[in-house]
Coordinates of all heavy atoms in Angstrom, one line a residue:
M70 N 11.2 12.4 -12.5 CA 11.5 12.3 -13.9 C 11.9 10.9 -14.2 O 12.6 10.3 -13.5 CB 12.7 13.3 -14.2 CG 13.2 13.2 -15.6 SD 14.6 14.3 -15.9 CE 14.0 15.8 -15.6
A71 N 11.5 10.4 -15.3 CA 11.7 9.0 -15.7 C 13.2 8.6 -15.8 O 13.6 7.5 -15.6 CB 10.9 8.6 -16.9
T72 N 14.0 9.5 -16.2 CA 15.4 9.2 -16.5 C 16.3 9.5 -15.3 O 17.5 9.3 -15.3 CB 16.0 9.9 -17.7 OG1 15.8 11.3 -17.5 CG2 15.2 9.5 -18.9
Q73 N 15.8 10.1 -14.2 CA 16.6 10.4 -13.0 C 17.2 9.1 -12.4 O 16.5 8.1 -12.3 CB 15.7 11.1 -12.0 CG 16.4 11.5 -10.8 CD 15.5 12.2 -9.8 OE1 14.4 12.5 -10.1 NE2 16.0 12.5 -8.6
Q74 N 18.4 9.2 -12.1 CA 19.1 8.0 -11.5 C 19.1 8.0 -10.0 O 19.1 9.1 -9.4 CB 20.6 8.1 -12.0 CG 20.8 8.0 -13.5 CD 20.4 6.6 -14.0 OE1 20.8 5.6 -13.6 NE2 19.5 6.7 -15.0
S75 N 19.0 6.9 -9.4 CA 19.0 6.7 -8.0 C 20.4 6.9 -7.5 O 21.4 6.7 -8.3 CB 18.6 5.3 -7.6 OG 18.8 5.1 -6.3
R76 N 20.6 7.4 -6.3 CA 22.0 7.7 -5.8 C 22.8 6.4 -5.7 O 24.0 6.5 -5.7 CB 21.9 8.5 -4.5 CG 21.3 7.8 -3.4 CD 21.2 8.7 -2.2 NE 20.1 8.4 -1.4 CZ 20.0 7.4 -0.5 NH1 20.9 6.6 -0.4 NH2 18.9 7.3 0.2
D77 N 22.2 5.3 -5.5 CA 23.0 4.1 -5.4 C 22.4 2.9 -6.1 O 22.0 1.9 -5.5 CB 23.2 3.7 -3.9 CG 21.9 3.5 -3.1 OD1 21.1 2.7 -3.6 OD2 21.7 4.1 -2.1
G78 N 22.3 2.9 -7.3 CA 21.8 1.7 -8.0 C 21.2 2.1 -9.4 O 20.6 1.2 -10.0
G79 N 21.3 3.3 -9.8 CA 20.7 3.7 -11.1 C 19.2 3.6 -11.2 O 18.5 3.6 -10.2
L80 N 18.8 3.4 -12.4 CA 17.4 3.3 -12.7 C 16.8 2.1 -12.0 O 15.7 2.2 -11.4 CB 17.1 3.2 -14.2 CG 15.7 3.1 -14.6 CD1 15.0 4.4 -14.2 CD2 15.7 3.0 -16.2
A81 N 17.4 0.9 -12.0 CA 16.9 -0.2 -11.3 C 16.7 0.0 -9.8 O 15.7 -0.4 -9.2 CB 17.8 -1.4 -11.5
G82 N 17.7 0.7 -9.2 CA 17.6 1.0 -7.8 C 16.4 1.9 -7.5 O 15.6 1.7 -6.5
R83 N 16.2 2.9 -8.3 CA 15.1 3.8 -8.2 C 13.7 3.1 -8.4 O 12.8 3.3 -7.6 CB 15.2 5.0 -9.1 CG 14.1 6.0 -8.9 CD 14.3 7.2 -9.8 NE 14.1 6.9 -11.2 CZ 12.9 6.8 -11.8 NH1 11.8 6.9 -11.1 NH2 12.8 6.5 -13.1
L84 N 13.7 2.2 -9.4 CA 12.4 1.6 -9.7 C 12.0 0.5 -8.7 O 10.9 0.2 -8.4 CB 12.4 1.0 -11.1 CG 12.4 2.0 -12.2 CD1 12.6 1.3 -13.5 CD2 11.2 2.8 -12.2
F85 N 13.0 -0.2 -8.1 CA 12.8 -1.4 -7.3 C 13.1 -1.3 -5.8 O 12.5 -2.0 -5.0 CB 13.5 -2.6 -7.9 CG 13.0 -3.1 -9.2 CD1 13.7 -2.7 -10.4 CD2 11.9 -3.8 -9.4 CE1 13.3 -3.1 -11.6 CE2 11.4 -4.2 -10.6 CZ 12.2 -3.8 -11.7
F86 N 14.0 -0.4 -5.5 CA 14.5 -0.4 -4.1 C 14.3 0.9 -3.3 O 14.2 0.8 -2.1 CB 15.9 -0.9 -4.0 CG 16.1 -2.2 -4.6 CD1 16.8 -2.4 -5.8 CD2 15.6 -3.4 -4.0 CE1 17.0 -3.6 -6.4 CE2 15.8 -4.6 -4.6 CZ 16.5 -4.7 -5.8
D87 N 14.3 2.0 -3.9 CA 14.3 3.3 -3.2 C 13.0 3.4 -2.4 O 13.1 3.8 -1.2 CB 14.4 4.5 -4.1 CG 15.8 4.6 -4.7 OD1 16.7 3.9 -4.3 OD2 16.1 5.6 -5.5
H88 N 11.9 3.2 -3.0 CA 10.6 3.3 -2.2 C 10.5 2.4 -1.1 O 10.2 2.8 0.1 CB 9.4 3.2 -3.2 CG 8.1 3.2 -2.5 ND1 7.6 4.3 -1.8 CD2 7.2 2.2 -2.4 CE1 6.4 3.9 -1.3 NE2 6.1 2.7 -1.6
P89 N 10.7 1.0 -1.3 CA 10.7 0.2 -0.1 C 11.6 0.5 1.0 O 11.3 0.5 2.2 CB 11.0 -1.2 -0.7 CG 10.6 -1.1 -2.1 CD 10.9 0.3 -2.5
R90 N 12.9 0.9 0.6 CA 13.8 1.4 1.6 C 13.4 2.6 2.4 O 13.6 2.7 3.6 CB 15.2 1.7 1.0 CG 16.0 0.4 0.6 CD 17.3 0.8 -0.1 NE 17.9 -0.3 -0.6 CZ 18.7 -0.3 -1.7 NH1 19.0 0.8 -2.3 NH2 19.2 -1.4 -2.1
S91 N 12.7 3.5 1.7 CA 12.2 4.7 2.4 C 11.2 4.4 3.4 O 11.0 5.2 4.4 CB 11.7 5.7 1.4 OG 10.4 5.3 0.9
L92 N 10.6 3.2 3.3 CA 9.6 2.8 4.3 C 10.2 1.8 5.3 O 9.5 1.3 6.2 CB 8.4 2.1 3.6 CG 7.6 3.0 2.7 CD1 6.6 2.2 1.9 CD2 6.9 4.2 3.4
G93 N 11.5 1.6 5.2 CA 12.2 0.6 6.1 C 11.8 -0.8 5.8 O 11.8 -1.7 6.7
M94 N 11.5 -1.1 4.5 CA 11.1 -2.4 4.1 C 12.0 -3.0 3.0 O 12.7 -2.2 2.3 CB 9.7 -2.4 3.5 CG 8.6 -1.9 4.5 SD 7.0 -1.7 3.7 CE 6.5 -3.4 3.8
S95 N 12.0 -4.3 2.9 CA 12.7 -4.9 1.8 C 11.8 -4.9 0.5 O 10.6 -4.7 0.6 CB 13.1 -6.4 2.1 OG 11.9 -7.2 2.2
W96 N 12.4 -5.2 -0.6 CA 11.6 -5.3 -1.8 C 10.6 -6.4 -1.7 O 9.4 -6.2 -2.0 CB 12.6 -5.6 -3.0 CG 11.8 -5.8 -4.3 CD1 11.4 -4.9 -5.2 CD2 11.4 -7.1 -4.8 NE1 10.7 -5.4 -6.2 CE2 10.7 -6.8 -6.0 CE3 11.5 -8.4 -4.4 CZ2 10.2 -7.8 -6.8 CZ3 10.9 -9.4 -5.2 CH2 10.3 -9.1 -6.4
W97 N 11.0 -7.5 -1.1 CA 10.1 -8.7 -1.0 C 8.9 -8.3 0.0 O 7.8 -8.6 -0.3 CB 10.8 -9.9 -0.5 CG 10.0 -11.1 -0.3 CD1 9.6 -11.6 0.9 CD2 9.4 -11.9 -1.3 NE1 8.8 -12.7 0.7 CE2 8.6 -12.9 -0.6 CE3 9.4 -11.9 -2.6 CZ2 7.9 -13.9 -1.3 CZ3 8.7 -12.9 -3.3 CH2 7.9 -13.8 -2.6
G98 N 9.3 -7.8 1.2 CA 8.3 -7.4 2.2 C 7.3 -6.4 1.6 O 6.1 -6.5 1.9
H99 N 7.8 -5.4 0.9 CA 6.9 -4.4 0.3 C 6.0 -5.0 -0.7 O 4.8 -4.7 -0.8 CB 7.8 -3.3 -0.3 CG 6.9 -2.2 -0.9 ND1 6.5 -2.3 -2.2 CD2 6.4 -1.1 -0.4 CE1 5.8 -1.2 -2.5 NE2 5.7 -0.4 -1.4
G100 N 6.5 -5.9 -1.5 CA 5.7 -6.6 -2.5 C 4.6 -7.4 -2.0 O 3.5 -7.4 -2.4
V101 N 4.9 -8.2 -0.9 CA 3.9 -9.0 -0.3 C 2.8 -8.1 0.3 O 1.6 -8.3 0.1 CB 4.5 -9.9 0.9 CG1 3.4 -10.5 1.7 CG2 5.4 -10.9 0.2
G102 N 3.2 -7.0 0.9 CA 2.2 -6.0 1.5 C 1.3 -5.4 0.4 O 0.1 -5.2 0.6
A103 N 2.0 -5.0 -0.7 CA 1.2 -4.4 -1.8 C 0.3 -5.4 -2.4 O -0.9 -5.0 -2.8 CB 2.2 -3.8 -2.8
L104 N 0.7 -6.6 -2.6 CA -0.2 -7.6 -3.1 C -1.4 -7.8 -2.2 O -2.5 -8.0 -2.6 CB 0.5 -9.0 -3.3 CG 1.4 -9.0 -4.6 CD1 2.2 -10.3 -4.5 CD2 0.6 -9.0 -5.8
D105 N -1.2 -7.9 -0.9 CA -2.2 -8.0 0.1 C -3.3 -6.9 -0.1 O -4.5 -7.1 -0.1 CB -1.7 -8.1 1.5 CG -2.7 -8.2 2.6 OD1 -3.6 -9.1 2.5 OD2 -2.7 -7.3 3.5
I106 N -2.8 -5.7 -0.1 CA -3.7 -4.5 -0.2 C -4.4 -4.6 -1.6 O -5.6 -4.3 -1.6 CB -2.9 -3.2 0.0 CG1 -2.5 -3.1 1.4 CG2 -3.8 -2.0 -0.5 CD1 -1.6 -1.9 1.8
G107 N -3.7 -4.9 -2.6 CA -4.3 -5.0 -4.0 C -5.4 -6.1 -4.0 O -6.5 -5.8 -4.5
V108 N -5.2 -7.2 -3.4 CA -6.3 -8.3 -3.4 C -7.5 -7.8 -2.6 O -8.6 -8.0 -2.9 CB -5.7 -9.6 -2.8 CG1 -6.8 -10.6 -2.4 CG2 -4.7 -10.2 -3.8
R109 N -7.2 -7.1 -1.4 CA -8.3 -6.6 -0.6 C -9.1 -5.5 -1.4 O -10.3 -5.5 -1.4 CB -7.8 -5.9 0.6 CG -7.3 -6.9 1.6 CD -7.0 -6.1 2.9 NE -5.9 -6.7 3.7 CZ -5.6 -6.3 4.9 NH1 -6.3 -5.2 5.5 NH2 -4.7 -6.8 5.6
L110 N -8.4 -4.7 -2.2 CA -9.1 -3.6 -3.0 C -9.9 -4.3 -4.1 O -11.1 -3.8 -4.3 CB -8.1 -2.6 -3.5 CG -7.5 -1.7 -2.6 CD1 -6.3 -0.9 -3.2 CD2 -8.5 -0.7 -2.0
V111 N -9.4 -5.3 -4.8 CA -10.1 -6.0 -5.8 C -11.4 -6.6 -5.2 O -12.5 -6.5 -5.8 CB -9.2 -7.0 -6.6 CG1 -10.0 -7.9 -7.5 CG2 -8.2 -6.2 -7.4
G112 N -11.2 -7.3 -4.1 CA -12.3 -7.9 -3.4 C -13.4 -6.9 -3.0 O -14.6 -7.2 -3.2
A113 N -13.0 -5.8 -2.5 CA -13.9 -4.8 -2.1 C -14.6 -4.2 -3.4 O -15.9 -4.0 -3.3 CB -13.2 -3.6 -1.4
G114 N -13.9 -4.1 -4.4 CA -14.5 -3.6 -5.7 C -15.5 -4.5 -6.3 O -16.6 -4.1 -6.7
L115 N -15.2 -5.8 -6.2 CA -16.1 -6.8 -6.7 C -17.4 -6.9 -5.8 O -18.5 -7.0 -6.3 CB -15.5 -8.2 -6.7 CG -14.4 -8.4 -7.8 CD1 -13.7 -9.8 -7.6 CD2 -15.0 -8.3 -9.2
A116 N -17.2 -6.7 -4.5 CA -18.3 -6.7 -3.6 C -19.2 -5.5 -4.0 O -20.5 -5.6 -4.0 CB -17.9 -6.6 -2.2
C117 N -18.6 -4.4 -4.3 CA -19.4 -3.2 -4.7 C -20.2 -3.4 -5.9 O -21.3 -3.0 -6.1 CB -18.5 -2.0 -4.8 SG -17.9 -1.2 -3.3
L118 N -19.5 -4.0 -6.9 CA -20.2 -4.3 -8.2 C -21.4 -5.2 -8.0 O -22.5 -5.0 -8.6 CB -19.2 -4.9 -9.2 CG -18.1 -4.0 -9.7 CD1 -17.1 -4.7 -10.6 CD2 -18.7 -2.8 -10.5
I119 N -21.2 -6.3 -7.2 CA -22.3 -7.2 -6.9 C -23.4 -6.5 -6.1 O -24.6 -6.6 -6.4 CB -21.8 -8.4 -6.2 CG1 -20.9 -9.2 -7.1 CG2 -23.0 -9.3 -5.7 CD1 -20.1 -10.3 -6.4
H120 N -23.0 -5.6 -5.1 CA -24.0 -4.9 -4.3 C -24.8 -3.9 -5.2 O -26.0 -3.7 -4.9 CB -23.2 -4.1 -3.2 CG -24.1 -3.2 -2.4 ND1 -24.9 -3.7 -1.4 CD2 -24.2 -1.8 -2.4 CE1 -25.5 -2.6 -0.9 NE2 -25.1 -1.5 -1.5
A121 N -24.2 -3.4 -6.2 CA -24.9 -2.5 -7.1 C -26.1 -3.2 -7.8 O -27.2 -2.6 -8.0 CB -24.0 -1.9 -8.2
V122 N -26.0 -4.5 -8.1 CA -27.0 -5.3 -8.7 C -28.0 -5.9 -7.7 O -29.2 -5.9 -7.9 CB -26.4 -6.4 -9.6 CG1 -27.4 -7.2 -10.2 CG2 -25.5 -5.8 -10.7
V123 N -27.4 -6.4 -6.6 CA -28.2 -7.0 -5.5 C -27.9 -6.3 -4.2 O -27.0 -6.6 -3.5 CB -27.8 -8.5 -5.4 CG1 -28.8 -9.2 -4.4 CG2 -27.9 -9.2 -6.7
P124 N -28.7 -5.2 -4.0 CA -28.4 -4.3 -2.8 C -28.4 -5.0 -1.5 O -27.8 -4.5 -0.5 CB -29.5 -3.2 -2.9 CG -29.9 -3.2 -4.3 CD -29.8 -4.6 -4.8
G125 N -29.0 -6.1 -1.3 CA -29.1 -6.8 0.0 C -27.9 -7.6 0.4 O -27.8 -8.1 1.5
V126 N -26.9 -7.7 -0.5 CA -25.7 -8.4 -0.2 C -24.5 -7.5 -0.2 O -24.5 -6.4 -0.8 CB -25.4 -9.6 -1.2 CG1 -26.6 -10.6 -1.1 CG2 -25.3 -9.1 -2.6
F127 N -23.5 -7.9 0.6 CA -22.2 -7.1 0.7 C -22.5 -5.7 1.1 O -21.9 -4.7 0.6 CB -21.4 -7.1 -0.6 CG -21.0 -8.5 -1.0 CD1 -21.4 -9.0 -2.3 CD2 -20.2 -9.3 -0.2 CE1 -21.1 -10.3 -2.7 CE2 -19.9 -10.6 -0.6 CZ -20.3 -11.1 -1.8
T128 N -23.4 -5.5 2.1 CA -23.8 -4.1 2.5 C -22.7 -3.4 3.3 O -22.7 -2.2 3.3 CB -25.1 -4.2 3.3 OG1 -24.8 -5.0 4.5 CG2 -26.2 -4.7 2.5
Q129 N -21.7 -4.2 3.8 CA -20.7 -3.5 4.6 C -19.3 -3.9 4.2 O -18.3 -3.5 4.7 CB -20.8 -3.9 6.1 CG -22.1 -3.4 6.7 CD -22.3 -3.8 8.1 OE1 -21.3 -4.2 8.8 NE2 -23.5 -3.6 8.7
S130 N -19.2 -4.7 3.2 CA -17.9 -5.3 2.8 C -16.8 -4.3 2.4 O -15.7 -4.3 2.9 CB -18.1 -6.3 1.6 OG -18.9 -7.4 2.0
A131 N -17.2 -3.4 1.5 CA -16.2 -2.4 1.0 C -15.8 -1.5 2.2 O -14.6 -1.2 2.4 CB -16.7 -1.6 -0.1
G132 N -16.7 -1.0 3.0 CA -16.4 -0.1 4.1 C -15.5 -0.8 5.1 O -14.5 -0.2 5.6
K133 N -15.8 -2.0 5.4 CA -14.9 -2.7 6.4 C -13.5 -3.0 5.8 O -12.5 -2.9 6.5 CB -15.6 -4.1 6.8 CG -16.7 -3.9 7.7 CD -17.3 -5.3 8.1 CE -18.4 -5.1 9.1 NZ -18.9 -6.4 9.5
A134 N -13.4 -3.3 4.5 CA -12.1 -3.5 3.9 C -11.3 -2.2 3.9 O -10.1 -2.2 4.3 CB -12.3 -4.0 2.5
I135 N -11.9 -1.1 3.6 CA -11.2 0.2 3.6 C -10.8 0.6 5.0 O -9.7 1.1 5.3 CB -12.1 1.3 2.9 CG1 -12.2 1.0 1.4 CG2 -11.5 2.7 3.1 CD1 -13.2 1.8 0.7
T136 N -11.7 0.5 6.0 CA -11.4 0.8 7.4 C -10.3 -0.1 7.9 O -9.3 0.4 8.5 CB -12.6 0.6 8.2 OG1 -13.7 1.5 7.8 CG2 -12.4 0.9 9.7
G137 N -10.3 -1.4 7.5 CA -9.2 -2.3 8.0 C -7.9 -1.9 7.4 O -6.8 -1.9 8.1
M138 N -7.8 -1.5 6.1 CA -6.6 -1.1 5.5 C -6.1 0.2 6.1 O -4.9 0.4 6.3 CB -6.8 -0.9 4.0 CG -6.8 -2.3 3.3 SD -6.9 -2.1 1.5 CE -8.6 -1.7 1.3
Y139 N -7.0 1.2 6.4 CA -6.6 2.4 7.0 C -6.0 2.2 8.4 O -4.9 2.7 8.7 CB -7.8 3.4 7.1 CG -7.5 4.6 7.8 CD1 -6.8 5.7 7.1 CD2 -7.8 4.8 9.1 CE1 -6.5 6.9 7.8 CE2 -7.5 6.0 9.8 CZ -6.8 7.0 9.1 OH -6.5 8.2 9.8
D140 N -6.6 1.3 9.2 CA -6.1 1.0 10.5 C -4.7 0.4 10.4 O -3.8 0.7 11.2 CB -7.1 0.1 11.2 CG -8.4 0.7 11.6 OD1 -8.4 2.0 11.6 OD2 -9.3 0.0 11.9
H141 N -4.5 -0.5 9.4 CA -3.2 -1.1 9.2 C -2.2 -0.1 8.9 O -1.1 -0.1 9.5 CB -3.3 -2.2 8.1 CG -2.0 -2.6 7.6 ND1 -1.3 -3.6 8.2 CD2 -1.3 -2.3 6.5 CE1 -0.1 -3.8 7.5 NE2 -0.2 -3.0 6.5
M142 N -2.5 0.8 8.0 CA -1.5 1.9 7.6 C -1.2 2.8 8.8 O -0.1 3.2 9.0 CB -2.0 2.6 6.4 CG -2.0 1.8 5.1 SD -2.3 2.7 3.6 CE -4.1 2.7 3.7
M143 N -2.2 3.1 9.6 CA -1.9 4.0 10.8 C -1.1 3.3 11.8 O -0.2 3.9 12.4 CB -3.3 4.5 11.4 CG -4.0 5.4 10.5 SD -3.1 6.9 10.1 CE -2.6 6.6 8.4
R144 N -1.3 2.0 12.0 CA -0.4 1.2 12.9 C 1.1 1.2 12.4 O 2.0 1.3 13.2 CB -0.9 -0.2 13.1 CG -2.1 -0.3 14.0 CD -2.4 -1.7 14.4 NE -2.6 -2.6 13.2 CZ -3.8 -2.8 12.6 NH1 -4.8 -2.1 13.0 NH2 -3.9 -3.6 11.6
R145 N 1.2 1.0 11.1 CA 2.6 1.0 10.5 C 3.2 2.4 10.7 O 4.4 2.5 11.0 CB 2.6 0.7 9.0 CG 2.3 -0.8 8.9 CD 2.9 -1.5 7.7 NE 3.9 -0.8 6.9 CZ 5.2 -0.9 7.1 NH1 5.7 -1.7 8.0 NH2 6.1 -0.3 6.3
K146 N 2.4 3.5 10.5 CA 3.0 4.8 10.6 C 3.4 5.1 12.1 O 4.5 5.6 12.3 CB 1.9 5.9 10.2 CG 2.4 7.3 10.4 CD 1.3 8.3 9.9 CE 1.8 9.7 10.1 NZ 0.8 10.6 9.6
A147 N 2.6 4.6 13.0 CA 2.9 4.8 14.4 C 4.1 4.1 14.8 O 4.9 4.5 15.7 CB 1.7 4.4 15.3
G148 N 4.4 2.9 14.2 CA 5.6 2.2 14.5 C 6.8 2.5 13.7 O 7.9 1.9 13.9
A149 N 6.7 3.5 12.8 CA 7.8 3.8 12.0 C 8.9 4.6 12.8 O 8.6 5.2 13.8 CB 7.4 4.7 10.8
A150 N 10.1 4.5 12.3 CA 11.2 5.2 13.0 C 11.0 6.7 13.0 O 11.4 7.4 14.0 CB 12.6 4.9 12.3
D151 N 10.4 7.2 12.0 CA 10.1 8.7 11.8 C 8.7 8.9 11.4 O 8.4 9.2 10.2 CB 11.1 9.3 10.8 CG 11.0 10.8 10.8 OD1 10.3 11.4 11.6 OD2 11.6 11.4 9.9
P152 N 7.7 8.7 12.3 CA 6.3 8.8 11.9 C 5.9 10.2 11.3 O 5.0 10.2 10.5 CB 5.6 8.6 13.3 CG 6.5 8.1 14.2 CD 7.9 8.4 13.7
E153 N 6.6 11.2 11.7 CA 6.3 12.5 11.1 C 6.6 12.6 9.7 O 6.0 13.4 8.9 CB 7.0 13.6 11.9 CG 6.5 13.7 13.4 CD 5.0 14.0 13.5 OE1 4.5 14.8 12.8 OE2 4.4 13.3 14.3
N154 N 7.6 11.8 9.2 CA 8.0 11.8 7.8 C 7.3 10.7 7.0 O 7.6 10.5 5.9 CB 9.5 11.7 7.7 CG 10.1 13.0 7.2 OD1 9.4 13.9 6.8 ND2 11.4 13.1 7.3
W155 N 6.4 10.0 7.6 CA 5.7 8.8 6.9 C 4.7 9.4 6.0 O 4.0 10.3 6.3 CB 5.0 8.0 8.0 CG 4.6 6.7 7.5 CD1 3.4 6.3 7.1 CD2 5.4 5.5 7.4 NE1 3.3 5.0 6.7 CE2 4.6 4.5 6.9 CE3 6.7 5.2 7.7 CZ2 5.0 3.2 6.7 CZ3 7.2 3.9 7.5 CH2 6.3 2.9 7.0
P156 N 4.6 8.8 4.8 CA 3.7 9.4 3.8 C 2.2 9.1 4.3 O 2.0 8.2 5.1 CB 4.0 8.6 2.5 CG 4.7 7.3 3.0 CD 5.4 7.7 4.2
D157 N 1.3 9.8 3.7 CA -0.1 9.6 4.1 C -0.7 8.4 3.4 O -1.8 7.9 3.7 CB -1.0 10.8 3.6 CG -0.7 12.1 4.4 OD1 -0.3 11.9 5.6 OD2 -0.9 13.2 3.9
Y158 N 0.1 7.8 2.6 CA -0.2 6.5 1.9 C 0.9 5.6 2.1 O 2.0 6.0 2.5 CB -0.5 6.8 0.4 CG 0.7 7.5 -0.2 CD1 1.8 6.8 -0.7 CD2 0.7 8.9 -0.2 CE1 2.9 7.5 -1.2 CE2 1.8 9.6 -0.7 CZ 2.9 8.9 -1.2 OH 4.0 9.5 -1.7
E159 N 0.7 4.3 1.8 CA 1.8 3.4 2.1 C 2.2 2.5 0.9 O 3.2 1.9 0.9 CB 1.3 2.5 3.3 CG 2.4 1.5 3.7 CD 1.8 0.6 4.8 OE1 0.8 1.0 5.4 OE2 2.4 -0.4 5.1
I160 N 1.3 2.4 0.0 CA 1.6 1.4 -1.1 C 2.7 1.9 -2.0 O 2.9 2.9 -2.3 CB 0.3 1.2 -1.9 CG1 -0.8 0.7 -1.0 CG2 0.6 0.3 -3.1 CD1 -2.1 0.6 -1.7

C-alpha cells in the first residue's frame, strides 16, 4: 500500500532503505548494482532491435547478457545470509 509506513523511517525509509536492507545492501550499493543491470538490459535491448533489422549482427548479445545477469544473481543468492529467503529476483 502506498501510504504504509516503514517500521523505522516512515515513507522515506520504505521507499529508499527497506528493500536494500532486506538484501543486506546499502542504498548506494544497491543503486550501483541496479544501474549496472539497467545498463546491461538497455544494451541487450538495443542489440535485439539492431538484430531485428540486420540478423547477421548481435546474434548472441542478448542471450549472453541475460545469462550473465542470471549467473550474477544466483551467486549473490548463494552467498546471502539466508539463501532460502532470497527473492527470485534481485533488482
Side-chain angles (χ1 to χ4, degrees):
M70 177 183 297
T72 60
Q73 181 180 353
Q74 298 293 306
S75 171
R76 63 183 147 77
D77 59 52
L80 182 60
R83 186 177 65 80
L84 291 175
F85 293 100
F86 302 110
D87 286 358
H88 172 65
R90 284 180 189 149
S91 75
L92 298 173
M94 302 174 79
S95 67
W96 175 85
W97 179 255
H99 180 272
V101 168
L104 282 172
D105 177 54
I106 290 173
V108 167
R109 289 189 209 187
L110 288 171
V111 168
L115 290 173
C117 284
L118 293 173
I119 294 168
H120 175 75
V122 177
V123 185
V126 297
F127 301 119
T128 59
Q129 298 179 11
S130 299
K133 285 183 177 182
I135 291 167
T136 300
M138 285 183 284
Y139 176 81
D140 290 344
H141 167 78
M142 288 188 280
M143 291 301 102
R144 283 191 306 273
R145 286 210 14 94
K146 179 178 181 177
D151 186 6
E153 295 303 316
N154 252 348
W155 194 263
D157 290 335
Y158 52 88
E159 182 183 346
I160 301 176

